């Protein structure tokens, strides 16, 4: 992960190391590794005991608390940047993945914080806490490379992130994002970069179709009646969205079963009532459909492929589940803000290290077995064995070789992605030829 020299260099650059201290950068990092081996935070006294036990360093809990400062936060942030910039990845090319340079998936997760953090990270408002955190996460499905991992306030909308990250799009990328990132400027930029997107359509979006030689607003009421009359469950139309300039897209229209529609409307009505307004008739009408848009040509991805590939985005929800249920990033108790930041950044750093381990093994094992590793199973095992990674940090190259042998032997057993009954697995979606 990092040598003692690399840790010292990062500490000097960030001001974390200014003068001789009992708690040097290596010991501090090792204590963070010890604390991150558990889902719950250790007390300052427990960290002091571990410093004495593992490093023969006598230090008070107050002395440790002083080291959780802004310089320590910057130290860990720099280590995250180094880990991201030094990612070693293996390309996974199979099926429809071959058509694209990268397949980029992005989403965010939010969690509440103690109210005293509100001046640093204000919350979303309403009934939620006055303080909240949002972690933006973006990765390339083909290589496994993490593109973005950043912390923002919970009240910062995802669409703002979409607009601020326009320059990160590369030619021939496929961008898959949730509705929260829906922005016409972003779609125009993707087209300008000669890249592609798949997105859900925002219900309030104006949609135009060509009729009698001119663009007219699509009548979703007439569309619903036609699909019901002829028993159609999925159709595709070439349409334009937005005002000026209008964006030409393929619109994939899936008609929802009545019971699913009723559940969606019930949920929407509750949300809208809580916010002080009612659902419009247009919103209710468009809610009868799952509406997906894309600029990928049909000869590359036909109509049947688009909804399936969009489901791949749910892999990122699994990542967030891992962060919360396995790494415990949302397990927070009252402490000073900089200590919590250190705890969060180290958890994210540990996530990156484990992610890189899994992603380096995934293509090799797929080539040998035709099966994909389960992210959840792999993360759970690696987290439960964080002490092994800690041993690598403390004992160097010899322990590192033992660690990789252990990884190779373990992941081949009971860490495969399981197929769910009557559902296409991620393997089948990712590697099918359309």
């Amino acid at each position: 992960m990092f040598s003692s020299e690399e840790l010292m260099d990062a500490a000097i650059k960030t001001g974390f190391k200014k003068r001789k201290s009992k708690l040097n950068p290596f010991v501090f990092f090792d204590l963070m590794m010890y604390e991150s081996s558990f889902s719950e935070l250790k007390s300052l006294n427990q960290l002091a005991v571990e410093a004495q036990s593992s490093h023969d360093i006598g230090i008070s809990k107050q002395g440790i608390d002083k080291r959780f400062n802004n310089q320590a936060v910057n130290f860990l942030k720099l280590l995250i940047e180094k880990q991201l910039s030094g990612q070693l990845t293996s390309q996974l090319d199979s099926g429809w993945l071959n058509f694209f340079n990268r397949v980029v998936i992005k989403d965010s997760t939010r969690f509440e914080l103690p109210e005293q953090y509100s001046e640093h990270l204000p919350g979303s408002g309403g009934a939620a806490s006055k303080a909240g955190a949002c972690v933006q996460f973006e990765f390339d499905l083909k290589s496994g490379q993490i593109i973005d991992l950043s912390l923002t306030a919970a009240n910062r909308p995802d669409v703002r992130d979409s607009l601020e990250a326009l320059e990160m799009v590369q030619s021939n990328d496929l961008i898959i994002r949730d509705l929260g990132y829906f922005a016409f400027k972003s779609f125009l930029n993707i087209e300008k970069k000669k890249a592609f997107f798949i997105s859900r359509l925002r219900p309030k979006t104006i949609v135009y179709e060509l009729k009698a030689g001119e663009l007219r607003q699509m009548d979703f009421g007439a569309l619903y009646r036609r699909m019901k009359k002829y028993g159609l469950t999925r159709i595709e139309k070439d349409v334009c969205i937005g005002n000026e300039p209008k964006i030409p897209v393929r619109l994939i229209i899936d008609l929802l079963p009545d019971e699913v529609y009723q559940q969606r409307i019930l949920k929407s009505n509750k949300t809208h009532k809580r916010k002080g307004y009612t659902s419009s008739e247009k919103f209710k009408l468009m809610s009868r459909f799952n509406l997906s848009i894309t600029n990928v040509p049909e000869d590359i991805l036909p109509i049947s492929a688009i909804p399936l590939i969009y489901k791949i985005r749910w892999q990122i929800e699994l990542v967030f589940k891992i962060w919360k249920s396995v790494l415990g990033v949302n397990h927070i108790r009252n402490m000073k803000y900089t200590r919590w930041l250190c705890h969060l950044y180290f958890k994210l750093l540990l996530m990156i290290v484990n992610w890189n381990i899994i992603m380096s093994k995934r293509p090799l094992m797929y080539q040998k077995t035709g099966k994909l590793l389960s992210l959840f199973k792999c993360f759970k095992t690696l987290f439960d064995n964080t002490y092994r990674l800690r041993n690598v940090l403390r004992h160097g190259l010899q322990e590192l070789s033992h660690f990789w042998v252990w990884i190779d032997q373990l992941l081949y057993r009971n860490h495969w992605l399981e197929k769910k009954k009557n559902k296409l697995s991620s393997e089948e979606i990712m590697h099918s030829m359309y």
Side-chain angles (χ1 to χ4, degrees), residues 287-353:
S287 294
R288 288 193 173 277
F289 309 96
N290 275 340
L291 302 169
S292 305
I293 56 171
T294 186
N295 65 337
V296 181
E298 188 177 7
D299 59 346
I300 295 178
L301 293 178
I303 181 174
S304 59
I306 304 302
L308 287 175
I309 292 173
Y310 187 78
K311 289 181 180 178
I312 289 287
R313 193 194 62 80
W314 285 97
Q315 282 209 2
I316 209 166
E317 298 294 340
L318 176 60
V319 174
F320 296 151
K321 179 182 177 182
I322 291 166
W323 289 5
K324 293 178 179 179
S325 64
V326 178
L327 295 178
V329 295
N330 59 326
H331 293 168
I332 304 157
R333 65 170 189 242
N334 287 332
M335 66 186 74
K336 71 178 185 181
Y337 178 66
T338 50
R339 188 188 171 199
W340 170 76
L341 268 184
C342 286
H343 173 72
L344 176 66
Y345 280 130
F346 198 90
K347 288 279 189 179
L348 294 178
L349 179 60
L350 188 60
M351 186 280 297
I352 297 168
V353 172

Side-chain angles (χ1 to χ4, degrees), residues 206-210 215-218 239-240 242-243 246:
I206 299 174
V207 180
Y208 300 91
E209 60 179 333
L210 191 64
L215 288 175
R216 299 179 182 177
Q217 283 196 36
M218 181 177 287
V239 301
C240 290
N243 292 316
K246 294 181 173 62

Side-chain angles (χ1 to χ4, degrees), residues 87-92 137 139-146 315 319 322 351-365 372-375 378-379 382 404 407 411 430:
Q87 292 178 93
L88 297 175
T89 58
S90 299
Q91 198 82 344
L92 187 63
F137 182 57
F139 72 99
D140 173 19
L141 187 68
K142 291 184 68 172
S143 68
Q145 185 173 26
I146 297 172
Q315 282 209 2
V319 174
I322 291 166
M351 186 280 297
I352 297 168
V353 172
N354 287 337
W355 174 276
N356 288 341
I357 290 171
I358 297 166
M359 291 302 165
S360 68
K361 295 297 179 183
R362 181 187 65 161
L364 301 174
M365 292 190 173
L372 282 175
L373 290 171
S374 162
L375 281 178
C378 291
F379 264 107
L382 290 173
W404 281 114
I407 287 288
L411 296 188
M430 287 171 60

Side-chain angles (χ1 to χ4, degrees), residues 159-375:
V159 69
R160 181 175 165 188
D161 183 90
S162 175
L163 295 173
E164 290 179 357
L166 295 178
E167 295 306 312
M168 297 177 71
V169 178
Q170 298 178 11
S171 175
N172 210 43
D173 279 351
L174 174 61
I175 311 295
I176 306 176
R177 290 179 180 167
D178 191 18
L179 268 178
Y181 297 88
F182 190 100
F184 291 108
K185 188 175 180 180
S186 179
F187 294 139
L188 288 169
N189 179 70
I190 292 170
E191 292 242 326
K192 183 179 178 182
K193 292 287 188 74
K194 297 183 179 179
F196 304 97
F197 58 82
I198 297 177
S199 173
R200 293 282 297 279
L201 181 71
R202 185 182 293 164
K204 294 182 180 180
T205 304
I206 299 174
V207 180
Y208 300 91
E209 60 179 333
L210 191 64
K211 283 193 171 184
E214 63 180 42
L215 288 175
R216 299 179 182 177
Q217 283 196 36
M218 181 177 287
D219 185 342
F220 281 93
L223 176 65
Y224 169 70
R225 292 188 293 272
R226 176 171 171 264
M227 292 184 73
K228 288 290 284 185
K229 179 178 179 180
Y230 294 103
L232 303 173
T233 57
R234 175 180 292 162
I235 63 171
E236 176 181 338
K237 284 180 173 287
D238 291 326
V239 301
C240 290
I241 58 173
N243 292 316
E244 295 299 335
K246 294 181 173 62
I247 305 172
V249 295
R250 295 167 60 198
L251 176 65
I252 289 79
I253 305 162
D254 285 286
L255 182 63
L256 294 178
D258 288 339
E259 60 272 16
V260 176
Y261 165 72
Q262 293 297 337
Q263 292 171 7
R264 175 180 285 186
I265 287 298
L266 184 63
K267 183 178 179 180
S268 297
N269 286 343
K270 287 182 179 179
T271 301
H272 292 167
K273 184 177 180 181
R274 188 172 67 247
K275 294 181 178 181
Y277 57 90
T278 58
S279 303
S280 68
E281 291 304 314
K282 180 184 176 182
F283 176 87
K284 291 178 182 178
L285 188 57
M286 293 184 72
S287 294
R288 288 193 173 277
F289 309 96
N290 275 340
L291 302 169
S292 305
I293 56 171
T294 186
N295 65 337
V296 181
E298 188 177 7
D299 59 346
I300 295 178
L301 293 178
I303 181 174
S304 59
I306 304 302
L308 287 175
I309 292 173
Y310 187 78
K311 289 181 180 178
I312 289 287
R313 193 194 62 80
W314 285 97
Q315 282 209 2
I316 209 166
E317 298 294 340
L318 176 60
V319 174
F320 296 151
K321 179 182 177 182
I322 291 166
W323 289 5
K324 293 178 179 179
S325 64
V326 178
L327 295 178
V329 295
N330 59 326
H331 293 168
I332 304 157
R333 65 170 189 242
N334 287 332
M335 66 186 74
K336 71 178 185 181
Y337 178 66
T338 50
R339 188 188 171 199
W340 170 76
L341 268 184
C342 286
H343 173 72
L344 176 66
Y345 280 130
F346 198 90
K347 288 279 189 179
L348 294 178
L349 179 60
L350 188 60
M351 186 280 297
I352 297 168
V353 172
N354 287 337
W355 174 276
N356 288 341
I357 290 171
I358 297 166
M359 291 302 165
S360 68
K361 295 297 179 183
R362 181 187 65 161
L364 301 174
M365 292 190 173
Y366 178 76
Q367 290 169 10
K368 290 182 179 180
T369 66
K371 295 187 289 187
L372 282 175
L373 290 171
S374 162
L375 281 178

Side-chain angles (χ1 to χ4, degrees), residues 417-430:
L417 188 65
E418 296 179 12
K419 178 174 171 59
K420 294 184 178 180
K421 188 177 180 181
N422 299 325
K423 286 188 177 181
L424 280 175
S425 69
S426 294
E427 294 167 16
E428 292 171 307
I429 295 174
M430 287 171 60

Side-chain angles (χ1 to χ4, degrees), residues 70-120:
N70 288 325
Q71 289 74 28
V73 172
N74 292 332
F75 169 61
L76 293 173
K77 286 173 70 175
L78 180 57
L79 293 179
I80 286 177
E81 291 172 12
K82 287 180 176 292
Q83 193 68 29
L84 289 175
S85 64
Q87 292 178 93
L88 297 175
T89 58
S90 299
Q91 198 82 344
L92 187 63
D93 281 307
S94 184
W96 59 270
L97 292 172
N98 287 316
F99 296 117
F100 305 102
N101 171 38
R102 301 185 301 176
V103 178
V104 179
I105 302 177
K106 186 164 196 171
D107 208 344
S108 64
T109 185
R110 288 169 169 77
F111 46 91
E112 294 185 356
L113 299 173
E115 288 192 4
Q116 61 262 37
Y117 298 170
S118 60
E119 68 173 285
H120 305 286

